[in-house]
Amino acid sequence: MFNADQYTTLSAEEEVRVSRAMRRAEASAREAICDISGVDDILQQRRRRSQKTRAILVERLIDAVEQCEQREDLTVEQRACVGRARQHLDEAEGLRWRLALSAKHIPRLEAARLSNPLMGREDLVQYGYLGLLDAAVRFDPDRGIRFTSYARWWVRAQMTRSIEHGGRSVRLPGGAVEQIRRLRSITAELESDGVAVTDQILAEESGLSTRRVRFLLSRGDVISMDDSHDEGLSLRERIPDSQPHGAADDQLATTELLGRLSHAFDDILDDREKYILRHHYGLDGLEPRSMTSIGKSLDLSRERIRQLEVRAFENLRNAI
């Protein structure tokens, strides 16, 4: 079982030493497999603007090692190199957790400020730990700032995102959440300049349609069943009733949706992604298991299991 209490606070010098040791271990893992064919294709892929440089490099290094471990065309010497790379990655991950959990007090402090009826303190703390791990991957020990100072922003960002997505009675898509933030920012700027804010002005400033602006501005923490939506219909009016004449249509729609889900699950996900979802969520009658337990079964880290789970859900969303 995960126990954050086993990690102690680091001094500024220790933070730098641990972070540099983590980077050396990652560099050693990269060097161990750099001469294997196909590895450069994984490590040198062109990055999208949305991908953070250091984080994506670490993720691709992990992918490269895992793909090498599954290959059957490697020589004995190359397999030995892959084994050394795995040892260096495990060392780097241990150091990453050591650095991240040295600031374990930050999630609890931030959770005390941000907790709300729909998102409890302990849930926020867990999201805060994810923020610490993100910060540990990106932390640059040569910038002259403490890791605790750097990590606080990542913890708060992870918690805020979790509240936006999970702390609502009805969840909004990530794109809608970002648009709402943008509209609030524009509104604050206009009001500070003494400009009377209207839907039309907001639409012009944000580049959204007036109807979209009205819809987004009507979203609070809870969506009313009687609020008007597109075409002037309320959510209550848009939800089909349960009268007998509609039962066959509902059943048909449900069957179609389940068929599409089954197709996506079997044909879109690879064996490892299917294994993770089945065992983590107890599908097909299985007993739900923790990510740590699944990671031990697959000889992967808990963080890597989490990344694969996120990727599996993205693949399912795109397929459906």
Side-chain angles (χ1 to χ4, degrees), residues 2 4-5 97 101 103-115 119-133 154-156 158-160 162-163 302:
F2 171 72
D5 294 335
W97 278 86
L101 271 301
K104 63 181 181 295
H105 60 285
I106 294 178
R108 297 212 168 268
L109 291 175
E110 294 297 326
R113 299 188 182 100
L114 298 175
S115 60
M119 183 67 70
R121 180 177 301 185
E122 288 305 315
D123 289 333
L124 285 174
V125 169
Q126 297 304 314
Y127 281 108
Y129 287 153
L130 296 179
L132 288 178
L133 289 171
W154 288 97
V155 169
R156 189 180 298 120
Q158 188 71 246
M159 289 182 174
T160 302
S162 70
I163 292 172
R302 182 190 182 281

Side-chain angles (χ1 to χ4, degrees), residues 257 260-261 264 315-320:
L257 178 58
R260 294 173 67 184
L261 283 171
N315 291 338
L316 286 174
R317 280 194 293 267
N318 293 334
I320 298 174

Side-chain angles (χ1 to χ4, degrees), residues 1-188:
M1 181 179 294
F2 171 72
N3 181 16
D5 294 335
Q6 62 182 305
Y7 297 94
T8 57
T9 304
L10 300 177
S11 65
E13 294 77 13
E14 289 172 332
E15 289 177 356
V16 172
R17 186 166 58 252
V18 170
S19 181
R20 289 177 176 170
M22 178 181 67
R23 295 195 172 204
R24 286 195 299 269
E26 292 167 352
S28 297
R30 189 176 294 107
E31 183 180 354
I33 61 173
C34 65
D35 292 331
I36 298 177
S37 63
V39 168
D40 277 345
D41 295 336
I42 301 174
L43 299 180
Q44 303 300 328
Q45 293 178 43
R46 184 176 180 180
R47 295 186 294 271
R48 299 189 302 273
R49 290 182 61 186
S50 61
Q51 294 175 323
K52 303 299 182 180
T53 302
R54 170 152 174 76
I56 196 61
L57 288 179
V58 172
E59 182 175 338
R60 287 179 180 169
L61 175 60
I62 294 172
D63 282 338
V65 173
E66 290 180 351
Q67 291 187 31
C68 287
E69 289 174 332
Q70 296 174 4
R71 289 173 58 174
E72 298 180 355
D73 61 334
L74 301 183
T75 65
V76 174
E77 182 179 351
Q78 288 175 328
R79 290 190 178 281
C81 292
V82 175
R84 289 196 298 273
R86 169 56 64 187
Q87 292 177 352
H88 290 308
L89 277 185
D90 290 343
E91 177 187 356
E93 182 172 2
L95 292 168
R96 188 177 305 122
W97 278 86
R98 179 75 183 90
L99 179 63
L101 271 301
S102 68
K104 63 181 181 295
H105 60 285
I106 294 178
R108 297 212 168 268
L109 291 175
E110 294 297 326
R113 299 188 182 100
L114 298 175
S115 60
N116 59 79
L118 295 177
M119 183 67 70
R121 180 177 301 185
E122 288 305 315
D123 289 333
L124 285 174
V125 169
Q126 297 304 314
Y127 281 108
Y129 287 153
L130 296 179
L132 288 178
L133 289 171
D134 287 339
V137 171
R138 295 170 170 83
F139 179 63
D140 185 352
D142 299 322
R143 294 180 62 183
I145 62 174
R146 290 292 304 270
F147 174 74
T148 49
S149 300
Y150 178 77
R152 189 178 298 276
W153 186 92
W154 288 97
V155 169
R156 189 180 298 120
Q158 188 71 246
M159 289 182 174
T160 302
R161 191 178 303 117
S162 70
I163 292 172
E164 292 284 2
H165 288 275
R168 296 173 178 266
S169 293
V170 177
R171 300 183 185 182
L172 296 177
V177 171
E178 293 302 322
Q179 289 174 348
I180 290 174
R181 288 179 178 174
R182 174 65 177 155
L183 290 176
R184 288 173 178 170
S185 175
I186 293 173
T187 300

